[in-house]
Amino acid sequence: MTPPSAASARTGPPPPVESRPGGPATKGTASGVATVPARPRRRRLRPPRAATLARAVAALAAGAGLYLAFPPVGAWPLAPVAVAALTLLVRGRRLPSAYRIAFLFGLGFFLPLLRFVSFVGDDALYALAIGEAAILAVVGPATVLALRLRAGYAWAAVACVWVGQEALRGRAPFGGFPWGRLAFSQPDGPYTPLAAVAGAPAMTFAVAATGALLALTLHTLVTTGRAALAAHLRVPDVTTPPTAVPVAVPTQRPGDGDTDRLPAAGRHRRALALGAALPAAGIAALAAAGLAVPLPTAPQDGTLRVAAIQGDVPEPGGLDALGEKFQVTRNHVDETLRLAADVAAGRTPRPDLVVWPENSSDVDPFVDRRAAALLDEAARAIGVPVMLGAVLDGPGAGHVRNAGLVWTADGWAGQLYVKHNPVPFAEYLPGRAILQKVITRFATEMPSDFVHGTGPAVLPAAGTTIGDVICFEVAYDGNVRASVDQGARLIVVQTNNASFGRKGESQQQLAMTRIRAVEHGRATIQVSTSGQSAIITPDGTVLAQTGLYEPGILSAELPLRTGRTLADRVGAIPEAVATALAAAAIMTGIATGRRRPRPAGQIPSGAGHPGPGATPRDTPAPRAGHRPDGRGPERSGVDAHRVVVCVPTYNERENLTRTALRLREANPTVDLLVIDDNSPDGTGQIADELAREDAQIHVLHRAGKSGLGSAYVAGFSWALRHGYDVIVEMDADGSHQPEELPRLLARLNTADLVIGSRWVRGGQVRNWPRSRLVLSRGANLYVRAALGIPTRDATAGYRAYRAEVLRARDLDAIQSQGYCFQVDLAWTAWRGGFRVAEVPITFVERERGASKMSRSIIIEAFWRTALWALVSGRRGPAPRPVPATPVSVPAPATEPALVAATAATPPTQPTKPTIATGGIAINGSAASPAPASAATGGATTNAATLPARDDPSLAP
């Protein structure tokens, strides 16, 4: 290529100009040179670069390594190693590249792990493996973003990403397929006891955290070791950025010889030691935490002797493994008769309960008398109840049920458990009408759909309660937990592995069963038609097990336990928290990647003159002292402004009167505006009575409940149109203390928005349950991480605005409702360059009435915050706006113009002027006696006589 300087120095005529491919040739050009038609150029497929190919091979190998951590190989230490390998492979890559690498990792993992599915057809294996790998691959770009955090947080963020990925894969699509979770590779590892603390998500977190710490260790050792080697050899490190400080190399003095050392050597040794020691300490701490968890196994409700029957099947794998009708049932009857003979001969103790596997009655015993006769024969011979699995017809044509039931010598005991989670494309066909036409073999191989059960997940048998889990349900956290929550003393996993052959499915399922035993502190039996069946103690120890494709009888005395583990109590909360933290880490990583350097004009100023980039901590607090007139600084803050407190209400009749009286008594110069959403309990009428008795109380009636945000917007618009200097938000339920309002107003001396914060030093929360504390803390951490706003309590609803903060915002354009409204206004004020400060308050939970918090409010706050973070790129505040002309505040479409009272009514008969426009009407309680009335809307609003500084357009 010719450099630009050389090209510009050429002389003579320009080279011939080629026409576009396929275009007509031109006779000549301005310079008289004929053009030549261009030949179409073929794009050659370039072979992948060696580095790209090596990275792809490494990803496939790492996925295969993760497979080896699972049974039947069971090399469980390879699981964190595989996570570490993937973390290093995607580190620093672009997000699409990271996704491709993780997808190859997923293929290397799922293709061998799920090979037992190939009995249906290789296309089924490939489709399932590719689909699962595509979901697992989100770990790649998510890990890249998580690694943008500080190293102290990045390892935990990567672990949360793995938990979140498994939560997604276990629920979508079609109910999810959680096979291959990291936790299920660890039935014999040091992290197994963590299942009793927070379930399988805790084990996944520990495994992934170990892998992330290993990756951090290797990365630190390599980079630091390279720098140390370069310093030792006195060679500049090519990986050091140009702006880095070069390593000082002293001049060697004669006689120093090989004992000379560089000044940087000590630092490098220390970095190498810390790079290896700190992650190693973290890994040791995780392992120690797991080993320290107690796993009690003692009986709490007596014991039960259980016998598990594995009757075997005619063929070892494939679609025809179950053979002809009644063969499987006959096999299990024969093994039960053998057990009865051993009991009669005294060779085996009589069991209290016999359990058969899934599909052990391969014909519906409620329809076929021969099947019922076989079950009667077995139950009478052994003399105890038999818990079995059966495929039952109906309800309706084309439907069957995969059920567990108890059969006694007198027949069916009367209760069923129908499998809650049938497997899509194996037990039922989503979109059958379409798929049956595309893949014709579905019509013959899957003629019926298994229905989803909805009843209890337990069965009463042998004087106790048995938790019933059928086959793949053991992989789903909720199914096993539901049975324990419903009183199960013992867990039975009924499964049919006959069609899967010797390809690891049964061993993988047994690993899951062992982890479930630990998670719920219950003795557990896995009973299979063809193996492996096993009896497991509450600490995950296998007492006895059978081989594959061989008949067998297992018998043991098992403890019945009633206690619930911590994992049972917390349920899905740990998984939800880890997923939310993963989402926050991802958004922070996105914002970190898009963050731009702060312009010089936005650098925070000195402490005495806070600039537009100043945080609440940078903003100086007002100096203590007293005015010459004897009033303290907080009291003077109230008196120095024209203040209105906006209090939205809906069904607050029990709280409004006390809140209003406390506010007026503590702050006599402050006005109160009650914004009532047509409360059914009469709150609006109480507000009207208060307004009649106090001229500084005003009431704004709205047509109906429209949300907290729209209520405040209506109140703000009203206050701005009536010339208030400061507008305050406060709840009506008594949670905000009116006596603390002077503290907020005094802080306005150096701020534009003051938030009464529960989470700064000195702030308190009283009478809140732990769930609300965790929710509020977590929500504010999420907002702070996602948006970068330097506030501790962005969701707080006790705050004071200077009027210019609200005038700078288009109030009619605000869409957020609920408590997300508070985040919206605080964040936009901070980004707009206004000074935001926080002062501590004491928040007291309401004593009367019901809280308005709901799931929809939480969901709205979560997705809106995420959307704002993505759109804004987490950019900091802009220079504070200085409008050249005052910003007009238009009245909302639903708020009428206020009309002052005329002087027509005698003072002895005061009436309230009523105006209704667009759904809001205003009634003024005035000293002047004339009525004014106009009907143009729907609701009413009461207000006292307005101050002289009201909008001139409101004059009568």
Side-chain angles (χ1 to χ4, degrees):
M1 178 181 291
T2 306
S5 57
S8 60
R10 283 179 174 167
T11 58
V17 180
E18 294 183 352
S19 65
R20 287 179 293 179
T26 310
K27 291 289 184 181
T29 63
S31 59
V33 180
T35 60
V36 180
R39 296 180 180 178
R41 300 179 62 181
R42 294 181 181 178
R43 301 184 68 179
R44 296 181 179 179
L45 293 177
R46 296 181 179 179
R49 294 183 299 174
T52 302
L53 185 60
R55 195 174 292 111
V57 171
L60 289 168
L66 181 58
Y67 158 72
L68 295 176
F70 284 76
V73 179
W76 58 264
L78 288 178
V81 173
V83 173
L86 178 62
T87 304
L88 292 173
L89 285 170
V90 301
R91 183 184 184 96
R93 308 299 304 174
R94 293 183 179 273
L95 301 187
S97 175
Y99 182 87
R100 290 191 293 269
I101 292 171
F103 178 73
L104 292 175
F105 174 90
L107 286 181
F109 171 49
F110 283 115
L111 281 172
L113 183 79
L114 303 177
R115 57 198 174 98
F116 56 83
V117 179
S118 60
F119 80 93
V120 180
D122 289 339
D123 54 346
L125 169 62
Y126 298 145
L128 181 58
I130 290 172
E132 293 297 297
I135 301 176
L136 183 146
V138 301
V139 167
T143 298
V144 172
L145 297 172
L147 291 176
R148 293 178 181 175
L149 276 64
R150 294 181 180 178
Y153 305 106
W155 63 272
V158 172
C160 289
V161 162
W162 277 90
V163 175
Q165 171 267 139
E166 290 184 353
L168 172 64
R169 197 161 54 82
R171 291 168 173 81
F174 309 115
F177 185 68
W179 211 268
R181 297 167 70 177
L182 292 179
F184 297 155
S185 68
Q186 304 292 306
D188 298 306
Y191 300 141
T192 304
L194 292 176
V197 177
M203 295 178 63
T204 291
F205 179 91
V207 174
T210 301
L213 288 169
L214 285 174
L216 177 64
T217 301
L218 292 173
H219 179 75
T220 303
L221 293 178
V222 169
T223 54
T224 308
R226 185 187 295 120
L229 180 62
H232 182 73
L233 298 177
R234 295 172 173 80
V235 176
D237 183 8
V238 296
T239 62
T240 304
T243 56
V245 178
V247 177
V249 181
T251 304
Q252 185 177 12
R253 292 175 297 175
D256 285 350
D258 295 336
T259 61
D260 185 35
R261 292 291 182 268
L262 299 176
R267 292 196 300 272
H268 289 313
R269 284 197 300 271
R270 182 181 179 187
L272 284 168
L274 291 177
L278 292 180
I283 295 171
L286 288 170
L291 296 174
V293 177
L295 299 177
T297 59
Q300 296 173 315
D301 191 26
T303 60
L304 190 75
R305 177 164 287 277
V306 181
I309 302 296
Q310 178 175 304
D312 202 12
V313 294
E315 296 292 334
L319 291 171
D320 300 324
L322 298 179
E324 298 179 357
K325 283 185 178 182
F326 300 108
Q327 280 190 271
V328 172
T329 305
R330 183 75 257 179
N331 288 351
H332 286 82
V333 170
D334 291 344
E335 289 300 309
T336 304
L337 295 177
R338 185 162 68 89
L339 172 64
D342 290 342
V343 170
R347 292 187 294 269
T348 301
R350 180 179 297 276
D352 302 307
L353 176 70
V354 173
V355 292
W356 288 8
E358 174 192 22
N359 207 52
S360 51
S361 177
D362 53 1
V363 178
D364 187 348
F366 301 129
V367 176
D368 192 295
R369 291 186 177 182
R370 181 180 172 189
L374 288 172
L375 301 183
D376 289 340
E377 179 186 0
R380 289 169 185 163
I382 194 61
V384 298
V386 178
M387 180 178 174
L388 56 96
V391 178
L392 307 179
D393 296 336
H399 294 97
V400 292
R401 290 165 292 168
N402 193 348
L405 54 103
V406 177
W407 204 274
T408 67
D410 298 326
W412 176 44
Q415 290 190 346
L416 291 175
Y417 166 68
V418 178
K419 187 175 183 180
H420 286 178
N421 282 338
V423 181
F425 301 100
E427 293 179 313
Y428 76 98
L429 192 62
R432 173 176 289 275
I434 298 175
L435 284 179
Q436 240 177 206
K437 296 178 182 178
V438 177
I439 305 176
T440 55
R441 76 169 189 262
F442 278 138
T444 55
E445 294 179 1
M446 287 184 61
S448 301
D449 288 333
F450 284 81
V451 299
H452 292 69
T454 57
V458 294
L459 290 172
T464 190
T465 304
I466 308 294
D468 195 7
V469 180
I470 297 181
C471 201
F472 280 20
E473 286 185 321
V474 73
Y476 295 86
D477 296 340
N479 282 93
V480 190
R481 188 187 304 122
S483 67
V484 175
D485 290 341
Q486 293 164 14
R489 269 61 169 169
L490 186 75
I491 297 174
V492 174
V493 179
Q494 296 177 298
T495 184
N496 173 26
N497 313 117
S499 298
F500 298 126
R502 304 177 186 274
K503 297 181 179 179
E505 188 274 345
S506 185
Q507 294 93 327
Q508 293 163 20
Q509 193 174 46
L510 178 57
M512 301 178 201
T513 303
R514 293 177 61 190
I515 290 169
R516 296 305 183 194
V518 175
E519 179 179 356
H520 303 289
R522 297 290 189 275
T524 305
I525 302 104
Q526 175 170 303
V527 55
S528 171
T529 52
S530 56
Q532 287 179 297
S533 300
I535 296 179
I536 304 159
T537 62
D539 62 356
T541 302
V542 177
L543 291 180
Q545 70 181 48
T546 64
L548 284 172
Y549 296 102
E550 60 184 32
I553 301 172
L554 303 176
S555 180
E557 189 88 12
L558 296 176
L560 301 178
R561 293 184 55 81
T562 58
R564 300 174 71 218
T565 64
L566 182 59
D568 292 323
R569 292 186 174 93
V570 298
I573 292 177
E575 184 179 56
V577 170
T579 303
L581 291 175
I586 290 170
M587 286 186 291
T588 303
I590 293 173
T592 301
R594 295 174 57 185
R595 188 180 298 156
R596 299 173 182 174
R598 186 188 297 272
Q602 293 187 29
I603 297 176
S605 306
H609 303 280
T615 67
R617 294 183 178 180
D618 300 324
T619 307
R623 289 181 293 179
H626 296 277
R627 290 163 52 96
D629 57 6
R631 291 183 296 179
E634 291 188 351
R635 186 72 260 160
S636 65
V638 176
D639 299 337
H641 305 288
R642 186 160 176 260
V643 182
V644 63
V645 177
C646 296
V647 177
T649 58
Y650 184 79
N651 289 349
E652 294 289 354
R653 64 173 297 135
E654 297 177 331
N655 299 306
L656 178 60
T657 300
R658 177 174 172 78
T659 299
L661 294 178
R662 286 178 61 189
L663 176 68
R664 296 289 296 116
E665 181 180 358
N667 307 280
T669 62
V670 168
D671 287 1
L672 169 62
L673 173 65
V674 179
I675 309 143
D676 185 69
D677 281 1
N678 196 18
S679 300
D681 68 346
T683 303
Q685 289 80 353
I686 294 175
D688 292 340
E689 295 174 6
L690 293 171
R692 281 192 292 267
E693 296 171 4
D694 190 339
Q696 289 181 249
I697 297 180
H698 317 282
V699 184
L700 193 65
H701 289 277
R702 303 204 306 158
K705 186 177 181 182
S706 301
L708 182 72
S710 63
Y712 270 128
V713 166
F716 292 165
S717 301
W718 185 94
L720 292 173
R721 295 176 58 240
H722 292 86
Y724 286 94
D725 303 317
V726 174
I727 302 168
V728 178
E729 293 181 21
M730 192 175 79
D731 290 347
D733 58 10
S735 57
H736 299 147
Q737 311 307 302
E739 296 78 10
E740 294 180 330
L741 178 59
R743 186 184 305 168
L744 276 69
L745 300 179
R747 194 73 164 91
L748 285 174
N749 292 336
T750 54
D752 303 300
L753 165 59
V754 178
I755 298 174
S757 176
R758 298 157 291 187
W759 308 126
V760 297
R761 181 175 298 180
Q764 298 181 42
V765 175
R766 297 179 183 173
N767 304 330
W768 251 10
R770 183 174 299 177
S771 59
R772 287 294 301 273
L773 289 170
V774 171
L775 176 63
S776 180
R777 284 278 198 179
N780 279 286
L781 288 173
Y782 169 68
V783 169
R784 186 180 177 93
L787 302 179
I789 180 172
T791 56
R792 300 288 182 183
D793 201 353
T795 62
Y798 197 15
R799 52 180 65 186
Y801 300 87
R802 288 184 179 272
E804 54 263 35
V805 176
L806 298 177
R807 290 184 183 275
R809 181 75 189 270
D810 183 3
L811 297 178
D812 290 337
I814 296 176
Q815 298 180 351
S816 52
Q817 298 293 329
Y819 294 98
C820 183
F821 175 84
Q822 313 292 6
V823 178
D824 187 353
L825 265 68
W827 178 60
T828 52
W830 173 72
R831 286 194 69 212
F834 291 103
R835 297 165 297 178
V836 181
E838 294 182 276
V839 297
I841 63 167
T842 299
F843 182 95
V844 181
E845 173 64 350
R846 65 161 65 228
E847 298 178 356
R848 305 174 186 86
S851 172
K852 310 302 187 297
M853 178 65 71
S854 66
R855 182 178 298 179
S856 61
I857 290 174
I858 298 172
I859 293 173
E860 182 206 27
F862 184 88
W863 75 260
R864 283 195 185 275
T865 300
L867 179 63
W868 294 334
L870 292 173
V871 171
S872 69
R874 208 170 177 264
R875 288 189 291 272
R880 182 177 178 181
V882 183
T885 58
V887 179
S888 62
V889 181
T894 57
E895 182 184 0
L898 292 175
V899 177
T902 63
T905 304
T908 57
Q909 297 179 353
T911 60
K912 293 186 176 292
T914 302
I915 304 160
T917 62
I920 300 179
I922 303 169
N923 292 332
S925 171
S928 52
S933 179
T936 57
T940 58
T941 304
N942 294 330
T945 304
L946 301 177
R949 283 190 286 175
D950 290 347
D951 192 330
S953 65
L954 306 180

